[in-house]
Amino acid sequence: MTDSAKDTGWDPSKPILEIEHLSISFFTRMREIPAVMDFSCSVMAGEAMGLVGESGCGKSTVALAVMRELGKNGKITAGTIKFKGRDLTKMNEEELRHVRGSEIAMIYQEPMASLNPAMKIGAQLAEVPMIHSGMSKDEAWKLARQIVADVRLPDPDRIVNSYPHQLSGGQQQRIVIAMALMAKPALLILDEPTTALDVTVEAGIVDLVKDLGHKYGTSMLFISHNLGLIMDVCDRLCVMYSGEAVETGEVAQVFDNMRHPYTQALFRSIPLPGADKNSRPLISIPGNFPLPHERPHGCNFGPRCDYFQDGRCNAADVPMSEVPGDDRHASRCLRWTEIDWAAPPAQREVKQKAAVGKVVLKMEDLKKYYSVSSGAFGGGMKKVVKANETLSFEAREGETLAIVGESGCGKSTFAKVLMGLETATSGSIMLFDENVQSTPIQKRNTDTVSSVQMVFQNPFDTLNPSMSVGRQIIRALEIFKYGKSDAERHQRMLELLDLVKLPRAFAERMPRQLSGGQKQRVGIARAFAGGAKVVVADEPVSALDVSVQAAVTDLLMDIQRENKTTLLFISHDLSIVRYLSDRVMVMYLGHVVEMGTTDQVFQPPYHPYTEALLSAVPIADTKVIRKRIVLEGDIPSAMNPPPGCPFQTRCRWKSQVPGGLCDREMPPVQVLEGGHQIKCHLSAEVLATMEPVIKIAAE
């Protein structure tokens, strides 16, 4: 750090990255599209700065501008980006090549986009110091092995000789972080580096990034829409809305003393501890995010703001203004001194708790095994993958049952079996007194198909791009044999758009004209076209912005109250699960390891796996104290599960069980008070000593 400071004449007491009044536009044949306007922020040496905001607000555009990789149609139209005192906007390609990779490195959201599938990991890592520092091949390979150990990957010798496809998603992301750190850059840009990962893997990556930042003295620009992650990783943050910075300051200052209506609206739309779907529902931000060429006059957030004043907030561009008394805390709001920030929200309405009725779905000892050949072209020994092992549970009318667990635990396999896309190996699925476990979807009658429907994770993949929204819903009504005429089906389609709170005019729109949240609403409307009684929602809000998540989850709850729907909510986001579920089922490697009401599962005693899951969830609240339990290693392979308890290879409580029982025997299901079930060898006395993972600090 000091050597490079001497080389450039940069004073380390000054910001390492200083962006001032930056404006960026993209030029198309039709028009200039302003993506970022008058954006300013600074990052000091060794500091981590978080960039927060909804999709399309310009976070990634700012990061690409720092790397000078805006593409052919992107152009910096005003402002400066100074790195160590030198203006990156004035550098030529040769100068940029010396800075990129060696002094500034970037980690992208999708790790496989950064890895060459045809090269071994060691060769890809060794390339960096060989190109940037002229290091010899032997030295570079030694450094590669050292950095692989630094990013806490097991068996570094095996990893450096592996190909990317032989690693899990979390391991691939660690390799990408290792690659970025190979040249020991002064600034690391991370663009949503954990979005595609499980919360347990995410917790490990977050700890890793923080530790390596301290070890190497690296400054960070951390882009995320997850405010809890920002609190875990960053010292300061900058909240962006529609191409502008609207609030910036230290993390604790902004979280506890927010001074912009958009920041306040973001916090009101995320499920923090204390939120409840009936008594304290989330408040979604009204209206939609403006398109770049349709931004309003004056304040960009004006049309969606509770404090908007006509003739004042839309009169002229709003400048950033300093918040006195705080360290570099500023807000782009004309009224921030007039607003009572402690006042409770006016528009929150208390909802009636949905009545839970009779059992509509019952699974008993359900097993789903796959036969897989170990040879390359179908030859070799046959191995069995036990995706689901003796699943037993029931779900009632009007109830929300959440199914949680890491990738590979069997959540989606169980959903496919229920939907009839797969048939079970053994066991029974009773759906309205009919056993459907061995009936594939092609042989199910229309009533059974229409009564069990699915809302998928990615709304972009589930709609036909060449068919209008209305036509896609009518198509579902035709398949479910609804109505006697086209007019009846058309009327029902309009009613379904009302149900999901979309304007009826959207019936004529094509999917490409809709935002992610609007597409997910169409998916929900289509699921309810046949009067679905059981809806399997597979990560339905994980691809959406936090502000849209609140609207979609509350929409699902409203529909449930109205139609008495049974909702099976598959998710790894335990904050959302705590907010909307009545009961929770925790899965690990095909087994149900814990099941109970939401209150039972979120309070001790926990199954050791549930305890680790809860501790890994980032919570955007400075008053919350979390116990940190980072699981070592990845979830074992379902093709070669460990003997005894499936969780014993990662369990921190294993030493509390005498006689090596965890290594030898599958644990029994213990039924605790109130029907709370835990599949574990720990005695009731040991379970009773467990402490809460999440506590609220005393005022």
Side-chain angles (χ1 to χ4, degrees), residues 231-252:
M231 196 180 101
D232 278 356
V233 177
C234 300
D235 308 303
R236 298 177 56 76
L237 88 156
C238 175
V239 182
M240 288 188 75
Y241 182 80
S242 191
E244 294 180 325
V246 293
E247 185 164 9
T248 183
E250 282 188 359
V251 168

Side-chain angles (χ1 to χ4, degrees), residues 456-477:
F456 295 92
Q457 178 172 356
N458 195 338
F460 306 92
D461 293 341
T462 53
L463 298 179
N464 185 332
S466 59
M467 208 183 267
S468 72
V469 164
R471 180 71 201 118
Q472 301 201 43
I473 297 171
I474 288 170
R475 178 90 184 100
L477 292 167

Side-chain angles (χ1 to χ4, degrees), residues 66 148 185 204 277 325 355 386 417 498 503 607 617 634:
V66 174
V148 166
K277 64 182 176 183
K386 298 180 177 182
V417 172
D498 295 342
H607 186 280
V617 179
D634 292 313

Side-chain angles (χ1 to χ4, degrees), residues 18 55 57 123 136 149 245 250 265 285 316 459 536 643 675 686:
E18 193 168 17
S55 300
C57 72
S136 72
E250 282 188 359
I285 304 174
V536 181
V686 174

Side-chain angles (χ1 to χ4, degrees), residues 588-589 636-637 640-649 663 666:
Y588 185 81
L589 208 60
S637 164
N640 189 21
C645 172
F647 187 59
Q648 52 104 344
T649 56
D663 295 324
M666 181 64 68

Side-chain angles (χ1 to χ4, degrees), residues 160-457:
V160 292
N161 286 297
S162 299
Y163 288 96
H165 71 271
Q166 294 173 301
L167 308 182
S168 69
Q171 288 175 334
Q172 287 172 0
Q173 192 61 287
R174 282 169 190 257
I175 290 299
V176 171
I177 292 170
M179 197 180 290
L181 292 168
M182 283 295 282
K184 300 192 176 154
L187 176 68
L188 189 58
I189 302 172
L190 302 100
D191 189 357
E192 302 267 15
T194 60
T195 302
L197 305 176
D198 286 311
V199 283
T200 48
V201 181
E202 179 179 82
I205 298 274
V206 164
D207 278 5
L208 172 72
V209 164
K210 282 198 303 193
D211 291 350
L212 292 174
H214 292 310
K215 179 175 177 178
Y216 293 113
T218 311
S219 307
M220 283 189 275
L221 191 62
F222 191 94
I223 298 169
S224 181
H225 64 264
N226 187 327
L227 288 158
L229 263 187
I230 292 290
M231 196 180 101
D232 278 356
V233 177
C234 300
D235 308 303
R236 298 177 56 76
L237 88 156
C238 175
V239 182
M240 288 188 75
Y241 182 80
S242 191
E244 294 180 325
V246 293
E247 185 164 9
T248 183
E250 282 188 359
V251 168
Q253 288 169 355
V254 176
F255 277 40
D256 294 340
N257 300 304
M258 56 199 72
R259 290 296 177 263
H260 194 280
Y262 176 61
T263 313
Q264 184 186 59
L266 270 184
F267 273 89
R268 286 177 174 176
S269 68
I270 58 176
L272 296 172
D276 179 270
K277 64 182 176 183
N278 299 309
S279 60
R280 292 190 64 199
L282 302 179
I283 301 167
S284 57
I285 304 174
N288 289 312
F289 196 77
L291 293 170
H293 57 282
E294 294 175 355
R295 289 189 178 109
H297 287 292
C299 175
N300 282 343
F301 189 59
R304 306 173 75 188
C305 181
D306 292 340
Y307 311 105
F308 177 76
Q309 275 187 354
D310 194 18
R312 183 179 172 195
C313 295
N314 54 1
D317 288 345
V318 181
M320 287 291 267
S321 55
E322 291 290 323
V323 176
D326 284 349
D327 175 35
R328 293 183 286 156
H329 188 180
S331 169
R332 197 182 290 273
C333 178
L334 294 173
R335 301 199 57 207
W336 73 264
T337 54
E338 305 160 24
I339 294 167
D340 179 1
W341 296 100
Q347 71 274 50
R348 181 176 275 153
E349 55 175 307
V350 176
K351 312 257 177 109
Q352 280 297 109
K353 191 177 188 312
V356 174
K358 64 180 188 299
V359 173
V360 296
L361 174 68
K362 187 170 185 178
M363 284 199 180
E364 281 191 11
D365 294 334
L366 183 87
K367 294 183 181 180
K368 175 61 184 173
Y369 294 173
Y370 293 96
S371 181
V372 180
S373 69
S374 56
F377 298 101
M381 285 174 58
K382 291 282 181 187
K383 289 194 174 181
V384 172
V385 176
K386 298 180 177 182
N388 288 152
E389 275 277 38
T390 58
L391 278 187
S392 296
F393 72 92
E394 53 188 40
R396 298 173 181 274
E397 182 182 77
E399 179 181 55
T400 302
L401 172 66
I403 298 141
V404 300
E406 293 169 284
S407 304
C409 74
K411 307 188 299 286
S412 296
T413 300
F414 137 76
K416 286 176 190 169
V417 172
L418 175 60
M419 298 299 298
L421 300 171
E422 303 266 7
T423 54
T425 305
S426 67
S428 68
I429 305 175
M430 298 300 292
L431 184 66
F432 307 109
D433 303 322
E434 179 191 355
N435 192 346
V436 296
Q437 72 92 2
S438 54
T439 315
I441 197 161
Q442 304 90 317
K443 294 183 180 173
R444 291 187 182 182
N445 61 45
T446 306
D447 286 347
T448 307
V449 172
S450 64
S451 64
V452 185
Q453 285 293 299
M454 195 155 181
V455 178
F456 295 92
Q457 178 172 356

Side-chain angles (χ1 to χ4, degrees), residues 451-612:
S451 64
V452 185
Q453 285 293 299
M454 195 155 181
V455 178
F456 295 92
Q457 178 172 356
N458 195 338
F460 306 92
D461 293 341
T462 53
L463 298 179
N464 185 332
S466 59
M467 208 183 267
S468 72
V469 164
R471 180 71 201 118
Q472 301 201 43
I473 297 171
I474 288 170
R475 178 90 184 100
L477 292 167
E478 288 169 354
I479 290 167
F480 298 142
K481 298 183 170 56
Y482 178 90
K484 295 185 177 69
S485 65
D486 288 347
E488 271 187 52
R489 284 187 281 273
H490 189 267
Q491 182 56 35
R492 176 63 182 153
M493 178 269 292
L494 295 175
E495 288 167 6
L496 284 163
L497 287 177
D498 295 342
L499 180 74
V500 296
K501 299 181 173 67
L502 282 177
R504 290 188 168 194
F506 274 42
E508 304 304 318
R509 290 199 181 182
M510 302 301 281
R512 66 175 181 274
Q513 296 172 288
L514 272 56
S515 69
Q518 290 165 344
K519 285 179 185 172
Q520 195 60 294
R521 285 166 188 256
V522 175
I524 293 168
R526 201 169 54 178
F528 282 92
K533 294 296 177 201
V534 178
V535 170
V536 181
D538 189 359
E539 303 267 16
V541 294
S542 65
L544 306 176
D545 284 310
V546 283
S547 51
V548 182
Q549 278 184 9
V552 172
T553 47
D554 275 1
L555 169 69
L556 281 168
M557 293 298 101
D558 288 343
I559 293 172
Q560 182 182 54
R561 290 183 192 97
E562 202 174 308
N563 296 11
K564 296 183 177 171
T565 316
T566 303
L567 187 65
L568 300 182
F569 192 85
I570 298 172
S571 182
H572 68 262
D573 184 342
L574 285 155
S575 302
I576 292 271
V577 164
R578 184 174 202 165
Y579 170 67
L580 58 76
S581 64
D582 301 305
R583 286 194 305 129
V584 180
M585 182 165 98
V586 183
M587 289 185 69
Y588 185 81
L589 208 60
H591 295 262
V592 176
V593 294
E594 183 164 8
M595 185 152 57
T597 65
T598 307
D599 285 343
Q600 287 169 344
V601 172
F602 278 78
Q603 288 167 7
Y606 313 107
H607 186 280
Y609 177 57
T610 310
E611 181 189 45

